[in-house]
Amino acid sequence: MKTLAIISEFNPLHNGHKYLLDKAKEKTKADLAITIMSGDYVQRGEPAVIDKFQRSSTAMKAGFDMVIEMPAFITLQSAEYFALGSIKILEKIGVDFLCFGIENIDPNDFLKKVDSLIKKDDQLDKLTKENLGSSSFTKARYDATVKILGDNNFISSNNILALEYIRAIRKINSKIIPIPIKRISSLNKDKDLKNTKISSSTAVRKNLFKDYKNHVPDFSYEAIEHNKKNYGIPNMEYEFNLFKYLLLINKKPMADILAYEEGLDNYLLKITLSNDNFSDFLEKASTNRYTSSRIKRLILNYVLDNKTKFNGYNLDFYKVLAFNKKSQYIFSNSRSKPILTKKDMDKLSTTDKIILSKMLDASNMYNLGQGREINQDLTKKIRRY
């Protein structure tokens, strides 16, 4: 059986995501579709608008056969490590195709430009270092890429992530075949809802208290509205309070935490002392060098104690959030262990148990911040469709 995968956040799942999945199935003729999805926190360094269980349910209703939870330490990193960590998991599962959205460019041209960039990795790294100065790594990388390609239309957050997927596939010598699919109607950065009813995740999130209904499938709309009614839309105030306690009172060291850079602890300490609420803090802390997403990821990694050394762990498990009967083929053919029950958790290696415990911590932190029941990963049955 052939399997396609989509690396996702579905924050929330919208019509564009459904289009991507349908096109992926059409192009690959795959027998199975799985997604490795961020848990309760997403790569922007924020709590997801609805919890991972509801998002996995919308993914299954959209047409996936299995939803796998991305480890929190992978989610809360820059594109390079987000991509590499995800690809390593998919390689062990035995995926044949990786499908992803791209912008502003024909898929074949995209693959040619990616090939050109990867062949010039040494030059790209050199130019990136030269551009760093007072800029963030992301901006330095952007400028270096534009200089090599002579084209800034290639650069978008979606395309950079897609580039890193392919770089990761080649880095680990995976046989996964990358399948770029061009986005229609809306770009990832667009903040306004489109008349075509296919809008960006950013636009949908910004309009959750307006008329967004036609831009998401009905089952996704129901999940969002249920969450709004019962819990509201989460913000970062709860996590920020935990961060302040650890930084100001506990004085927990930051040096070995993911997304840390020398001097960031003292820099953030000064700003935290003079800013009580999160939005003011983030506005003061964000600079060209330290982007808001990086600051938010660092806060979450610091609170969760996600350490830099985790990137060196060889993960040998995947945590299942939802599946159907057809997807049980994956259980039999994967080179890593599926986590479906408490007993499965108990059989893990020491390092795998550490990573899994951090995933559970992230979910409990999210649930506490929203007034939800904790330990749902241990009490909630895995949804079988």
Side-chain angles (χ1 to χ4, degrees):
M1 295 181 79
K2 294 294 184 182
T3 303
L4 74 84
I6 291 175
I7 299 170
S8 68
E9 300 211 282
F10 298 147
N11 185 37
L13 190 145
H14 55 66
N15 293 340
H17 294 133
K18 185 70 170 69
Y19 170 83
L20 174 62
L21 175 59
D22 292 344
K23 276 294 181 183
K25 288 181 175 181
E26 177 187 316
K27 284 179 174 290
T28 63
K29 310 298 182 189
D31 305 287
L32 290 167
I34 71 171
T35 181
I36 177 168
M37 184 188 79
S38 297
D40 287 318
Y41 292 95
V42 296
Q43 205 242 352
R44 292 165 56 87
E46 298 173 351
V49 295
I50 57 177
D51 73 273
K52 66 186 182 185
F53 294 109
Q54 291 184 80
R55 282 166 36 244
S56 67
S57 177
T58 62
M60 294 297 291
K61 291 172 182 176
F64 285 98
D65 298 295
M66 182 182 287
V67 182
I68 295 162
E69 182 179 351
M70 187 184 298
F73 85 95
I74 293 175
T75 298
L76 296 172
Q77 293 200 69
S78 61
E80 177 185 356
Y81 292 100
F82 180 93
L84 182 60
S86 301
I87 295 297
K88 284 180 177 178
I89 293 172
L90 294 175
E91 169 67 12
K92 284 195 174 184
I93 288 172
V95 166
D96 298 288
F97 306 100
L98 177 70
C99 302
F100 46 84
I102 57 169
E103 301 173 331
N104 300 323
I105 188 171
D106 174 80
N108 290 327
D109 289 340
F110 173 82
L111 291 173
K112 289 177 184 176
K113 286 184 181 294
V114 166
D115 190 56
S116 173
L117 275 172
I118 292 177
K119 285 178 180 176
K120 297 176 180 177
D121 263 353
D122 289 344
Q123 183 184 353
L124 185 64
D125 288 341
K126 182 181 177 183
L127 285 172
T128 301
K129 289 177 182 176
E130 290 175 358
N131 291 336
L132 270 174
S134 60
S135 296
S136 68
F137 177 84
T138 302
K139 180 65 166 62
R141 198 71 156 180
Y142 170 95
D143 291 339
T145 303
V146 170
K147 187 168 184 178
I148 290 174
L149 292 179
D151 176 13
N152 62 4
N153 284 327
F154 175 86
I155 305 299
S156 72
S157 58
N158 261 30
N159 289 1
I160 291 298
L161 194 52
L163 162 64
E164 294 301 341
Y165 290 152
I166 297 174
R167 195 193 303 278
I169 287 170
R170 296 192 186 180
K171 185 172 184 176
I172 66 172
N173 295 314
S174 171
K175 293 181 180 179
I176 295 174
I177 299 171
I179 308 290
I181 296 172
K182 190 173 182 180
R183 290 176 68 118
I184 59 172
S185 176
S186 180
L187 301 180
N188 188 55
K189 67 180 181 180
D190 289 344
K191 297 179 181 180
D192 297 322
L193 296 174
K194 300 290 184 180
N195 292 331
T196 56
K197 300 179 183 178
I198 293 185
S199 299
S200 70
S201 298
T202 301
V204 173
R205 285 194 302 273
K206 286 186 174 297
N207 288 276
L208 287 179
F209 292 96
K210 297 180 182 178
D211 188 15
Y212 73 96
K213 184 176 182 179
N214 292 331
H215 298 262
V216 299
D218 288 344
F219 49 81
S220 187
Y221 179 78
E222 290 170 7
I224 296 165
E225 290 302 305
H226 171 82
N227 200 78
K228 280 168 55 179
K229 179 180 178 181
N230 292 280
Y231 305 104
I233 301 300
N235 56 44
M236 282 280 286
E237 290 296 340
Y238 176 75
E239 292 83 356
F240 183 53
N241 283 332
L242 294 176
F243 172 76
K244 287 191 290 185
Y245 171 78
L246 290 173
L247 186 66
L248 303 177
I249 310 302
N250 186 271
K251 296 181 172 54
K252 174 186 169 182
M254 195 181 285
D256 60 349
I257 298 298
L258 285 166
Y260 173 77
E261 178 183 316
E262 186 176 357
L264 258 175
D265 41 3
N266 292 326
Y267 171 73
L268 295 179
L269 177 63
K270 292 176 184 176
I271 297 172
T272 304
L273 284 169
S274 57
N275 290 275
D276 289 333
N277 68 70
F278 179 69
S279 59
D280 289 344
F281 162 83
L282 188 63
E283 183 180 354
K284 292 284 174 55
S286 302
T287 65
N288 288 335
R289 185 173 181 82
Y290 305 131
T291 63
S292 60
S293 291
R294 180 178 178 180
I295 296 293
K296 289 182 289 185
R297 287 195 295 262
L298 176 59
I299 286 173
L300 294 174
N301 282 322
Y302 180 67
V303 174
L304 292 168
D305 203 33
N306 284 332
K307 299 182 183 296
T308 305
K309 66 181 180 182
F310 292 175
N311 283 328
Y313 287 1
N314 181 24
L315 302 188
D316 197 30
F317 76 95
Y318 57 100
K319 186 174 181 297
V320 180
L321 290 174
F323 69 102
N324 61 23
K325 184 176 180 180
K326 188 169 65 167
S327 71
Q328 292 184 68
Y329 167 85
I330 295 170
F331 298 150
S332 303
N333 292 274
S334 170
R335 290 187 284 115
S336 56
K337 306 176 188 72
I339 301 300
L340 292 157
T341 67
K342 178 68 167 61
K343 289 183 179 179
D344 295 331
M345 298 179 186
D346 294 337
K347 296 175 184 177
L348 293 178
S349 69
T350 300
T351 52
D352 282 350
K353 283 181 179 177
I354 291 171
I355 298 305
L356 180 60
S357 72
K358 297 301 178 184
M359 295 168 72
L360 304 186
D361 288 348
S363 291
N364 279 335
M365 181 167 74
Y366 178 91
N367 290 331
L368 283 170
Q370 286 203 287
R372 296 170 180 262
E373 176 189 349
I374 66 168
N375 295 327
Q376 291 187 45
D377 293 87
L378 304 177
T379 60
K380 209 177 186 75
K381 286 188 176 180
I382 302 299
R383 189 81 180 267
R384 178 173 172 172
Y385 289 78

